[in-house]
Amino acid sequence: MPADPQNPNELAAQWIEKLGQHDVGDPEWTEGVEALHKLGFFVIPKLIDGLDGANLAARTGVTRALHQMGPTVLYDVIDALVHESPEVRREAATFLAGTASQQREHWITNIVPVLIDALSDSESSVRVRTAQALCL
């Protein structure tokens, strides 16, 4: 477990860093995902920012923790489609594609309109992931 920080966002940052030090599925990685999930909605913006980075294990862990939080994160992820980082926008589109089958009641009214807007993103990888999300 990371050292005790002074606030939940610091703890989330430490767990995200720890995720990146382990392979996906390792016990330590799973512990990190669960810890992020338990921190709850207080750290959702920090988790969204954690989608920005080259480390696949960290991004995967953050995404899994967000999925485990359920519909609470939906609007924050929708907002992430206009994040300054193209990596975060791409991961947000991917997340929303995965959410489509689980959140049908939100799909048409909340998710489709923002995905349509994201089709004009300046970053091609965001446009591709957005198109894939709309095809589901």
Side-chain angles (χ1 to χ4, degrees):
M1 175 184 245
D4 290 332
Q6 295 184 6
N7 68 54
N9 284 318
E10 289 177 14
L11 183 57
Q14 289 178 7
W15 279 113
I16 292 168
E17 184 179 332
K18 183 176 179 180
L19 287 173
Q21 297 169 357
H22 299 282
D23 292 330
V24 174
D26 281 354
E28 295 86 0
W29 182 87
T30 303
E31 176 188 12
V33 171
E34 281 304 310
L36 289 172
H37 170 233
K38 288 178 183 175
L39 286 172
F41 67 91
F42 296 107
V43 298
I44 291 172
K46 189 66 166 179
L47 296 181
I48 300 264
D49 288 342
L51 294 172
D52 186 15
N55 190 297
L56 179 61
R59 286 194 325 266
T60 303
V62 166
T63 300
R64 178 129 350 137
L66 286 168
H67 273 292
Q68 289 176 354
M69 289 180 187
T72 304
V73 305
L74 185 60
Y75 295 102
D76 289 291
V77 175
I78 289 171
D79 289 344
L81 285 171
V82 294
H83 194 277
E84 63 187 33
S85 166
E87 290 82 12
V88 171
R89 296 193 309 268
R90 183 189 65 231
E91 294 301 323
T94 302
F95 181 94
L96 292 171
T99 303
S101 62
Q102 301 165 348
Q103 301 289 327
R104 284 286 179 206
E105 67 274 8
H106 296 291
W107 180 246
I108 298 297
T109 58
N110 299 314
I111 299 174
V112 169
V114 294
L115 287 174
I116 289 170
D117 288 343
L119 286 171
S120 62
D121 195 279
S122 61
E123 196 65 35
S124 64
S125 64
V126 175
R127 293 191 306 270
V128 168
R129 293 280 177 94
T130 300
Q132 291 169 337
L134 286 166
C135 291
L136 295 176

